Amino acid sequence: METNKNVVLHVADVHKNFGGLHALSDIDLQVEEGQTHAIIGPNGAGKSTLLNVIIGRIPPTSGAVVFDGTVLTGKQPHEINQLGVSRVFQTPEIFSDLSVLQNVMTPAFAKRDGAFKINLAKPFERETALREEAEATLEDVGLVERRGAHAGSLSRGDKRRLELAMCLIQKPRLLLLDEPTELLKKIKSRGMTKVIIEHDMHVVFSLADRISVLAGGRIIAEGLPEDVRGDPRVQEAYLGGAH
Ligand code: ADP
Ligand code: MG
């Protein structure tokens, strides 16, 4: 059918067992470049496990994850991150004592100069090009007015926005978002490939190009949002007590 699709992420026949529990079975997932691909499913479906397998935090029992022709399976999370795969965490990881602007500039510095050359005593504000890029990124996530605030003083939602900005400034090739409900309205797409993990299916319908539905560790449906919405198997997974 689609002959020239450009698959950038391929989760190939992944299984994950925790003791006797099959958290993931027969997972085959292909994400096309530039698309927003949502993985939805009820609680306990295996969404977070799948995300952690992709980013290298959990080794699969069998199968492999391939990103842009490179096998990720067996690599460390930071190696996977260096290949351009970024994740926004459910709990934000930010520098509480730095300003919002400094937080966003830090990964940009690290990318330009190497992580070990960052000198926090140096006035970041004089780095005009980086500062402008950081401000534009803060604009994208709706935080530019808080640029001077201490990151630690932000609300939980704003901390997540800040963490998203810290990811975006690194220009990841693939961005993974775990239940980003309150973030989604703010994200400008920038043509970046995204995988969104979400419990509430209504949140992703207007944003996703494609949706995979996970239930009981298996993909039970996949397709365009409008196809998935009406699929009786999906209705049943949500109503039928798979939680
Ligand atoms: P979701 O994110 O869709 O809610 P999870 O991936 O967190 O689902 O969990 C899928 C299943 O795997 C659940 O039954 C959960 O209890 C189990 N599970 C997740 N992580 C572990 C673990 N580290 N050890 C044992 N069981 C786990
Ligand atoms: Mg989860």
Side-chain angles (χ1 to χ4, degrees), residues 43-44 47-49 90 178-179 197:
N43 286 333
K47 303 181 297 295
S48 294
T49 303
Q90 264 178 324
D178 199 351
E179 307 214 354
I197 306 278

Side-chain angles (χ1 to χ4, degrees), residues 107-119 122 127 130:
F109 264 120
K111 196 169 176 183
R112 192 189 67 182
D113 301 341
F116 299 109
K117 293 210 181 126
I118 296 176
N119 178 358
K122 233 164 59 181
E127 294 275 357
L130 282 191

Side-chain angles (χ1 to χ4, degrees), residues 103-193:
N103 265 273
V104 183
M105 287 176 75
T106 301
F109 264 120
K111 196 169 176 183
R112 192 189 67 182
D113 301 341
F116 299 109
K117 293 210 181 126
I118 296 176
N119 178 358
L120 294 178
K122 233 164 59 181
F124 279 28
E125 287 73 10
R126 281 192 209 140
E127 294 275 357
T128 313
L130 282 191
R131 196 197 64 223
E132 281 170 3
E133 198 186 345
E135 284 177 342
T137 311
L138 284 170
E139 182 91 52
D140 285 352
V141 302
L143 257 190
V144 75
E145 266 124 56
R146 307 294 319 268
R147 57 163 94 70
H150 256 95
S153 72
L154 297 180
S155 68
R156 186 176 153 74
D158 280 348
K159 281 180 181 157
R160 292 201 74 192
R161 265 175 220 120
L162 174 56
E163 208 207 2
L164 174 65
M166 292 167 74
C167 271
L168 291 176
I169 202 163
Q170 297 174 65
K171 301 188 175 65
R173 298 197 43 220
L174 173 66
L175 184 64
L176 299 131
L177 299 136
D178 199 351
E179 307 214 354
T181 318
E182 79 270 31
L183 281 177
L184 285 174
K185 288 172 228 120
K186 300 274 184 182
I187 299 175
K188 283 195 184 168
S189 120
R190 297 172 167 219
M192 197 177 281
T193 312

Side-chain angles (χ1 to χ4, degrees), residues 38-42 211-215 218-222 228 234 237-238:
I39 298 166
I40 63 168
I211 296 181
S212 299
V213 185
L214 201 59
R218 288 178 188 277
I219 293 175
I220 58 159
E222 181 170 317
V228 165
V234 178
Y238 272 91

